Amino acid sequence: MATTTLSRPKLRFKGSVADIPARQKRTPLSRILATVIVSVLAVAWLIPFAWATLTALKSETEAASTPISWIPASGFTLDAFTKVLGSGNIPTWTLNSLFTSAAITAITLVISASVAYAISRIDFRGKDLLMGVIIASIIVPPPVLIIPLFQQMQSLNLIDTYWAVILPQVIHSPMVFVLKKFFDQIPRELEEAALMDGAGRLRIFTTIVLPLSRPILAAVAIFVFIGAWNNFLWPFIATNESSLLTLPVGLQTIKSAYGIQYAQNMASALLAALPLILVFLFFQRQIIKGVATTGLAGT
Amino acid sequence: MSTVRIPAPTGESAPGLSEPAPAALPAKTSPGQRSGARLVRPRSRRDNIHGWAFSAPFLAFFLIFLVWPMISGAYMSLTGKSLTGANSGFIGLANYAEAFGDSDMWRSLGNTLYFTLISTVPLVVIALALAALVNMGLPAQWLWRLSFFSPFLLASTVISLFFAWMYNPELGLFNDVLVKLGIPPVAWLNDPAVAMWAVVIATVWWTVGFNFLLYLAALQNIPQQHYEAASIDGAGGWRQFFSISLPQLGPTTVMIAILQILASLKVFDQIYQMTEGGPGGTTRSIVQYIFEAGFTGYRLGYSAAISYIFFGLILLIALVQVFITRKRSV
């Protein structure tokens, strides 16, 4: 299954109706019906966003009043947003998330791409064993490691540092597999010519293989970044200090602190969601391709 | 599957890989040609050094932050180690014996299996239905993908805040709708009979988009000729779906179901954030039990033992997966 993923032609996500001859023979009625059903479902899927946004735009009294209304009688207000942003926590946590996620992504890319390159292209003793062990490790569920990792971080004195958040999150065995599959398909002639000319391995890797692999590197990067940005359990265990929390962990503490501040809760949630919604709008195609390739190859 | 080529839509040529020509690809990936470096020169000492040098950074992280915790966790599970620093030393399998007699452990495991069962079915079926509908040649594909997939990008904390608010008994949207429909209100997250379902509804909303995209990709890889031939033979939409799409999606469905089961077994975030395992422990997952045994019960050794029991369960399911996929490919 996974072996065919990358050699397959590009997915037809951009295809329009006109590109699909068979579809034109469908009765228009069934397509109209499908459009109606999908539209209703899509609206249903967007309701939580809409409801959260409307609540965040209410005053606290309006948010907590019954009967509930979509449009507040006293009009909309940005109070909840200004209060949340003014408290200073959300901006700090956003920066923490940005820094740790970027670091995790960068380290993951460097170490995964180089090990994948070695396994794909260099004929060294033990590489089959190495690949086997990496693939086998996919089955280890991260929650199993939290207790020993916590102990380890404690004995290294890293609890409540960025390092504790970052270091254990850079091992992505499925991504090594995905990258190796991609490298396997880069024509060897390119590399052989460079080898003849006396280029070293590192030179070949950085000037030939990596530039040719930009699409898959982007897919892996986006995937790892989103995972790191949203990870909850490990950062929740690794940090306590409020100024070091990542956004998801920080939000969890807000919830208990302002248990009844509904408008502010929703404003915080929306502000936390915003960066990734923006990432999605900018990288929609890469994200979808990333799910299709890395998601499929993850097995 | 890889032998069937659908012409790539305009502007979608393989990025960065204009070479080799498609015809050359099968030869590249054929078995036995795995190590092309051998074509240039035999395995050398330099290759051994280079190979391990390129693998070293990953290997270092792998050994320190995955292999070592696995080993130290296994050892820890055989000790009476405590978070407070007290260590009653090696106690053999006593933690495991205690865990097997621990009704709370079994209950958390039961809750987790129940969650996995009732979440996996809708997460596969709804994803397939959405993908099949969207793939019927609907306009504005980007809009549907955005609607169904965007929740997947949110942090668990965000979706928990959204749903805790919508499930609010007095002020929540769900009860407001129910009351307007003449149905008595529900204590969503506080009713032991309903709480797990409430969590499942939130989880389906949050994660179905991922499976939806996998199905959509698989559907769009089914050769159009199949549908053309079928419609010439007079097969209608339903017939085409059940006779062509569904069988072709078989391997995808097996894969999605297994990935989903393995993911659902690890559930923790959204349940912990919405109910903290309540009411009365009815939604406490096994991961939460691991977390609590270690960090609120201070019993690291016991917690590690439960981790390994949980790992054993995952391993068992993974072996079933290997068995199923091997049987399929024979």
Side-chain angles (χ1 to χ4, degrees), chain A residues 141-177:
Chain A
V144 167
L145 299 177
I146 56 168
I147 295 291
L149 270 177
F150 178 79
Q151 271 284 296
Q152 192 180 16
M153 289 299 161
Q154 220 176 23
S155 57
L156 293 171
N157 261 327
L158 289 177
I159 290 294
D160 258 332
T161 65
Y162 287 128
W163 292 114
V165 177
I166 295 167
L167 294 175
Q169 289 196 67
V170 301
I171 311 153
H172 287 270
S173 303
M175 298 305 165
V176 174
F177 185 65

Coordinates of all heavy atoms in Angstrom, one line a residue, chain A residues 141-177:
Chain A
P141 N 3.1 3.5 21.8 CA 2.2 4.6 22.0 C 2.8 5.6 22.9 O 3.3 5.2 24.0 CB 1.0 4.0 22.7 CG 1.3 2.5 22.9 CD 2.7 2.3 22.6
P142 N 2.9 6.9 22.6 CA 3.5 7.9 23.4 C 3.1 7.9 24.8 O 4.0 8.1 25.7 CB 3.2 9.2 22.7 CG 2.9 8.8 21.3 CD 2.4 7.4 21.3
P143 N 1.8 7.7 25.2 CA 1.4 7.7 26.6 C 2.2 6.7 27.4 O 2.4 6.9 28.6 CB -0.1 7.4 26.6 CG -0.5 7.7 25.2 CD 0.6 7.5 24.3
V144 N 2.7 5.6 26.8 CA 3.4 4.6 27.6 C 4.7 5.1 28.1 O 5.3 4.7 29.1 CB 3.7 3.3 26.7 CG1 4.7 2.4 27.3 CG2 2.4 2.6 26.4
L145 N 5.3 6.2 27.4 CA 6.6 6.7 27.8 C 6.5 7.8 28.8 O 7.6 8.3 29.2 CB 7.3 7.1 26.5 CG 7.6 6.0 25.5 CD1 8.3 6.6 24.2 CD2 8.5 4.9 26.1
I146 N 5.4 8.3 29.1 CA 5.3 9.6 29.9 C 6.0 9.4 31.3 O 6.7 10.3 31.7 CB 3.9 10.2 30.0 CG1 2.9 9.1 30.7 CG2 3.4 10.7 28.7 CD1 1.6 9.7 31.1
I147 N 5.8 8.3 31.9 CA 6.3 8.1 33.3 C 7.9 8.0 33.2 O 8.5 8.8 33.9 CB 5.7 6.9 34.0 CG1 4.2 7.1 34.2 CG2 6.4 6.6 35.3 CD1 3.9 8.2 35.2
P148 N 8.4 7.1 32.4 CA 9.9 7.1 32.4 C 10.5 8.4 31.8 O 11.6 8.8 32.3 CB 10.2 5.9 31.5 CG 9.0 5.5 30.9 CD 7.8 6.0 31.7
L149 N 9.9 9.0 30.8 CA 10.4 10.3 30.3 C 10.4 11.3 31.4 O 11.4 12.1 31.4 CB 9.6 10.7 29.1 CG 10.0 10.2 27.7 CD1 9.0 10.8 26.7 CD2 11.4 10.7 27.4
F150 N 9.4 11.4 32.2 CA 9.3 12.4 33.2 C 10.5 12.2 34.2 O 11.2 13.1 34.6 CB 8.0 12.3 34.0 CG 7.9 13.3 35.1 CD1 7.6 14.6 34.9 CD2 8.1 12.9 36.4 CE1 7.5 15.5 35.9 CE2 8.0 13.8 37.5 CZ 7.7 15.1 37.2
Q151 N 10.7 10.9 34.6 CA 11.8 10.6 35.5 C 13.1 11.0 34.9 O 14.0 11.6 35.5 CB 11.9 9.1 35.7 CG 11.0 8.6 36.8 CD 11.7 8.9 38.1 OE1 12.8 8.3 38.4 NE2 11.1 9.8 38.9
Q152 N 13.3 10.7 33.6 CA 14.5 11.0 32.8 C 14.8 12.5 32.8 O 15.9 13.0 33.1 CB 14.4 10.5 31.4 CG 15.7 10.5 30.6 CD 15.4 10.0 29.2 OE1 14.3 9.9 28.8 NE2 16.5 9.6 28.5
M153 N 13.7 13.3 32.5 CA 13.8 14.8 32.5 C 14.1 15.3 33.9 O 14.9 16.3 34.0 CB 12.5 15.4 32.0 CG 12.3 15.1 30.5 SD 13.6 15.8 29.5 CE 13.4 14.9 28.0
Q154 N 13.5 14.7 34.9 CA 13.8 15.1 36.2 C 15.3 14.9 36.6 O 15.9 15.8 37.1 CB 12.9 14.4 37.2 CG 12.3 15.2 38.3 CD 11.4 14.4 39.1 OE1 11.4 13.1 39.2 NE2 10.5 15.1 39.8
S155 N 15.8 13.8 36.2 CA 17.2 13.5 36.6 C 18.2 14.3 35.8 O 19.3 14.6 36.2 CB 17.5 12.0 36.5 OG 17.2 11.5 35.2
L156 N 17.7 14.8 34.6 CA 18.6 15.6 33.8 C 18.3 17.1 34.1 O 18.9 18.0 33.5 CB 18.2 15.5 32.3 CG 18.6 14.1 31.6 CD1 18.0 14.0 30.2 CD2 20.1 13.9 31.6
N157 N 17.5 17.3 35.1 CA 17.1 18.7 35.5 C 16.5 19.6 34.4 O 16.8 20.8 34.3 CB 18.4 19.4 36.1 CG 18.4 19.4 37.6 OD1 17.3 19.5 38.2 ND2 19.6 19.3 38.2
L158 N 15.7 18.9 33.6 CA 15.2 19.7 32.4 C 13.7 20.0 32.6 O 13.1 20.7 31.8 CB 15.4 18.9 31.1 CG 16.8 18.8 30.6 CD1 16.9 17.9 29.4 CD2 17.4 20.2 30.3
I159 N 13.1 19.5 33.7 CA 11.7 19.8 33.9 C 11.5 21.3 34.0 O 12.3 22.0 34.6 CB 11.1 19.1 35.1 CG1 11.0 17.6 34.9 CG2 9.8 19.6 35.6 CD1 10.0 17.1 33.9
D160 N 10.5 21.8 33.3 CA 10.2 23.3 33.3 C 11.3 24.0 32.5 O 11.8 25.1 32.9 CB 10.1 23.9 34.7 CG 8.7 24.1 35.1 OD1 7.9 24.4 34.1 OD2 8.3 24.1 36.2
T161 N 11.7 23.4 31.4 CA 12.5 24.1 30.4 C 11.9 23.8 29.0 O 11.2 22.8 28.9 CB 14.0 23.6 30.4 OG1 14.0 22.3 29.9 CG2 14.6 23.7 31.7
Y162 N 12.3 24.6 28.0 CA 11.8 24.3 26.7 C 12.4 23.0 26.2 O 11.7 22.3 25.5 CB 12.3 25.4 25.7 CG 11.6 26.7 25.8 CD1 12.3 27.9 26.0 CD2 10.2 26.8 25.8 CE1 11.6 29.1 26.1 CE2 9.5 28.0 25.9 CZ 10.3 29.2 26.1 OH 9.6 30.4 26.2
W163 N 13.6 22.6 26.7 CA 14.2 21.4 26.2 C 13.3 20.2 26.5 O 13.2 19.2 25.8 CB 15.6 21.2 26.8 CG 16.5 22.2 26.2 CD1 17.2 23.2 26.9 CD2 17.0 22.3 24.9 NE1 17.9 24.0 26.1 CE2 17.8 23.5 24.8 CE3 16.7 21.6 23.7 CZ2 18.4 23.9 23.6 CZ3 17.3 22.1 22.5 CH2 18.1 23.2 22.5
A164 N 12.8 20.2 27.7 CA 11.9 19.1 28.1 C 10.8 18.9 27.2 O 10.3 17.8 26.9 CB 11.4 19.3 29.6
V165 N 10.2 20.0 26.7 CA 9.1 20.0 25.8 C 9.6 19.5 24.4 O 8.9 18.6 23.8 CB 8.4 21.4 25.6 CG1 7.3 21.3 24.6 CG2 7.9 21.8 27.0
I166 N 10.7 20.0 24.0 CA 11.2 19.7 22.6 C 11.8 18.4 22.4 O 11.3 17.6 21.5 CB 12.2 20.8 22.2 CG1 11.6 22.2 22.2 CG2 12.8 20.5 20.9 CD1 12.6 23.3 22.1
L167 N 12.7 18.0 23.2 CA 13.6 16.8 22.9 C 12.8 15.5 22.6 O 13.0 14.9 21.6 CB 14.6 16.6 24.0 CG 15.7 17.7 24.1 CD1 16.6 17.5 25.2 CD2 16.5 17.8 22.8
P168 N 11.9 15.1 23.5 CA 11.2 13.8 23.2 C 10.3 13.9 22.0 O 9.8 12.8 21.6 CB 10.4 13.5 24.5 CG 11.0 14.5 25.5 CD 11.5 15.7 24.8
Q169 N 10.0 15.0 21.5 CA 9.0 15.1 20.4 C 9.6 15.1 19.0 O 8.9 15.3 18.1 CB 8.2 16.4 20.6 CG 7.2 16.4 21.8 CD 6.1 17.4 21.6 OE1 5.3 17.4 20.7 NE2 6.2 18.4 22.5
V170 N 10.9 14.9 18.9 CA 11.5 15.0 17.6 C 11.7 13.6 16.9 O 12.1 13.5 15.8 CB 12.9 15.6 17.7 CG1 12.8 17.0 18.2 CG2 13.9 14.8 18.4
I171 N 11.2 12.5 17.6 CA 11.3 11.2 17.0 C 10.0 10.9 16.3 O 9.0 10.7 16.9 CB 11.6 10.1 18.1 CG1 12.8 10.6 19.0 CG2 12.0 8.8 17.4 CD1 12.7 10.0 20.3
H172 N 10.1 10.9 15.0 CA 8.9 10.6 14.2 C 9.2 9.4 13.2 O 9.5 9.7 12.1 CB 8.4 11.8 13.4 CG 7.7 12.8 14.3 ND1 6.4 12.8 14.6 CD2 8.3 13.9 15.0 CE1 6.1 13.9 15.4 NE2 7.2 14.5 15.6
S173 N 9.1 8.2 13.7 CA 9.5 7.1 12.9 C 8.7 7.0 11.6 O 9.3 6.7 10.6 CB 9.4 5.8 13.7 OG 10.1 5.9 14.9
P174 N 7.4 7.2 11.6 CA 6.7 7.1 10.3 C 7.3 8.1 9.3 O 7.3 7.7 8.1 CB 5.3 7.5 10.7 CG 5.1 7.3 12.1 CD 6.5 7.6 12.7
M175 N 7.7 9.2 9.7 CA 8.2 10.2 8.8 C 9.5 9.8 8.2 O 9.8 10.1 7.0 CB 8.4 11.6 9.5 CG 7.2 12.2 10.0 SD 5.9 12.3 8.7 CE 4.4 12.6 9.7
V176 N 10.4 9.0 8.9 CA 11.6 8.5 8.4 C 11.3 7.6 7.2 O 11.9 7.6 6.1 CB 12.4 7.7 9.4 CG1 13.6 7.0 8.8 CG2 12.8 8.6 10.6
F177 N 10.2 6.8 7.4 CA 9.8 5.8 6.4 C 9.3 6.5 5.2 O 9.6 6.2 4.0 CB 8.7 5.0 7.1 CG 8.2 3.9 6.2 CD1 9.0 2.8 5.9 CD2 6.9 3.9 5.7 CE1 8.6 1.8 5.1 CE2 6.4 2.8 5.0 CZ 7.2 1.8 4.6

